[in-house]
Amino acid sequence: EKEGYDYFMIKEINEQATAVRNTLTEKSTIQEIIDDLGDISRICFVACGTSFHASITGKYLLESIAGIPTDVILASEFKYSANTLNEDTLVIFISQSGETADSLKALDLANKTSKTLGIVNVAGSAITRRADYVIQTQAGPEIGVAATKTYVSQLTAIYLFAALIADDEKLLEDVYKVPDFIEELLKEVDSIKAMSKKYKFARDFFFIGRGYSYPIALEGALKLKEITYIHGEGYAAGELKHGPLALIDEGIPVVVILPPGENHRKTMSNLEEVKARGADILAVGSKEDERLKLKSDDLFAINDDVNEIIAPLVYIVPLQLLAYYVAVEKGLDPDKPKNLAKCVTVE
Ligand code: M6R
């Protein structure tokens, strides 16, 4: 069933435009859920791993676009804040499998006080049966242990939810363009293959981004750790000076996520800080960003119409590809990373 691809992971990376398109068809279901929910005074996302990173993007969106105070809590830490929830809080569980033990445990707790919504890929899974409301992501089955197409599908559901709550037509329009942007960039994998060859012997990688690009950095680092066994750390770009800058040295690869938008100028100065200390800059930015071309050692360039708000849905793809090709270069099986299971059913 790999349909000519070497691994499920690369097949699933290539299915992402379709996964987003199919999840966009959930729009009317999401509108119905919103209408039924009525006023929500607070939202709390609960998830693990990649689904947790999608949740962080959800917090940024719901707070800035919809003005709803939103928390993000790791499912395994949820019980420590559960007693601040009440009936006006909507608790959203994001999960590919719908069976993650930490998330299920948290869902049972949340159900005692609050309305609950699951954003889940596997139909009929435990979370879909126990949550009050369900949005089904339409990624189709994901076999690779590393979450890829289910991540962009989770994000698609979250963007639809936020745009519909806020009645933000412009955001909706932008999200509908995402599949085309993904298809466009998937035609340019050669530059990523070259980067993988160059950096496969690195021991440490840093990923930095600001605002909406911060969870992209976290997710890029998780993909790298998970399948290449290289140490990767995702940091909020502004946090570098508060510690990790001490680790930046000659030849350390730093992946800088720099979509066009409000945060560009500040992240560019963070890029300069690490560059001045000898880091190799692997940038992901706009095709029209001439300054970035000059400042980076390697650049993966993306359509200039992908602004920083929708960047999480698009800019993650080259980072998935980077992790994938580094794993393949190292002779590792990206579909079956050691010590990990697709679905974590113990707490
Ligand atoms: O099925 P879930 O989304 O609840 O799984 C959560 C995490 O275990 C999962 O995202 C994990 O981090 C992935 N293997 C990352 O690629």
Side-chain angles (χ1 to χ4, degrees):
E1 320 136 54
K2 288 189 205 131
E3 293 166 19
Y5 289 100
D6 292 339
Y7 292 99
F8 282 108
M9 182 175 174
I10 190 69
K11 173 176 177 265
E12 288 159 1
I13 289 174
N14 277 285
E15 287 170 346
Q16 295 188 105
T18 308
V20 172
R21 269 193 200 104
N22 291 345
T23 303
L24 285 168
T25 64
E26 294 298 301
K27 182 174 168 231
S28 51
T29 309
I30 297 175
Q31 184 64 61
E32 280 166 26
I33 294 173
I34 291 169
D35 294 343
D36 199 67
L37 280 167
D39 280 344
I40 305 159
S41 62
R42 180 183 164 202
I43 288 176
C44 179
F45 281 100
V46 182
C48 311
T50 290
S51 303
F52 179 71
H53 298 151
S55 304
I56 301 175
T57 311
K59 170 184 164 73
Y60 283 114
L61 262 183
L62 282 156
E63 291 191 334
S64 61
I65 311 282
I68 304 174
T70 304
D71 298 306
V72 191
I73 304 175
L74 286 165
S76 55
E77 297 287 315
F78 179 74
K79 64 173 176 235
Y80 309 111
S81 49
N83 63 0
T84 68
L85 305 177
N86 58 38
E87 62 279 2
D88 298 326
T89 313
L90 173 68
V91 190
I92 305 182
F93 289 82
I94 305 201
S95 176
Q96 183 286 129
S97 60
E99 300 288 348
T100 301
D102 289 319
S103 302
L104 275 174
K105 189 80 186 236
L107 175 58
D108 289 341
L109 260 179
N111 271 334
K112 292 186 183 156
T113 52
S114 310
K115 292 174 199 150
T116 56
L117 162 67
I119 299 181
V120 180
N121 195 52
V122 177
S125 57
I127 293 181
T128 67
R129 295 193 307 271
R130 294 194 213 165
D132 297 327
Y133 300 93
V134 178
I135 300 171
Q136 162 107 38
T137 50
Q138 299 295 343
E142 187 177 67
I143 313 294
V145 166
T148 54
K149 63 174 178 171
T150 54
Y151 176 63
V152 293
S153 305
Q154 291 168 342
L155 288 174
T156 304
I158 294 169
Y159 275 74
L160 283 175
F161 185 77
L164 292 171
I165 285 198
D167 226 344
D168 189 329
E169 274 301 322
K170 168 77 176 67
L171 180 61
L172 268 184
E173 260 171 47
D174 285 349
V175 174
Y176 275 82
K177 292 183 202 146
V178 161
D180 292 345
F181 292 137
I182 295 178
E183 270 163 7
E184 184 182 332
L185 79 83
L186 281 171
K187 292 184 189 134
E188 293 168 29
V189 289
D190 285 351
S191 59
I192 302 273
K193 286 185 186 164
M195 284 184 222
S196 327
K197 287 205 170 75
K198 187 164 159 193
Y199 295 104
K200 68 174 172 186
F201 295 118
R203 283 183 44 202
D204 307 281
F205 263 78
F206 286 84
F207 293 74
I208 60 170
R210 198 177 268 270
Y212 290 101
S213 299
Y214 168 46
I216 307 177
L218 295 177
E219 176 60 10
L222 177 62
K223 288 289 93 94
L224 187 83
K225 282 186 267 228
E226 193 176 21
I227 62 165
T228 72
Y229 317 144
I230 296 174
H231 166 231
E233 268 197 72
Y235 260 98
E239 189 64 14
L240 275 180
K241 299 189 202 46
H242 302 285
L245 201 54
L247 294 168
I248 304 295
D249 248 322
E250 228 24 75
I252 301 249
V254 179
V255 179
V256 187
I257 298 139
L258 252 176
E262 259 179 34
N263 288 316
H264 184 279
R265 190 180 54 80
K266 283 192 182 159
T267 311
M268 190 58 116
S269 49
N270 300 126
L271 179 157
E272 276 159 4
E273 280 161 10
V274 289
K275 196 174 167 63
R277 283 154 185 91
D280 282 345
I281 309 295
L282 287 76
V284 190
S286 155
K287 283 194 170 148
E288 287 169 34
D289 193 338
E290 296 302 329
R291 228 176 117 218
L292 188 57
K293 264 180 216 158
L294 293 175
K295 299 268 174 194
S296 52
D297 295 279
D298 294 274
L299 171 66
F300 188 86
I302 288 183
N303 192 309
D304 188 60
D305 289 337
V306 181
N307 60 43
E308 64 183 5
I309 302 177
I310 57 162
L313 287 148
V314 182
Y315 274 56
I316 189 57
V317 182
L319 306 188
Q320 298 166 339
L321 287 165
L322 178 68
Y324 173 79
Y325 285 114
V326 170
V328 171
E329 277 293 325
K330 291 172 90 85
L332 302 168
D333 179 347
D335 288 344
K336 297 192 194 79
K338 68 174 194 288
N339 308 336
L340 300 175
K342 182 69 184 160
C343 178
V344 183
T345 51
V346 286
E347 276 180 66

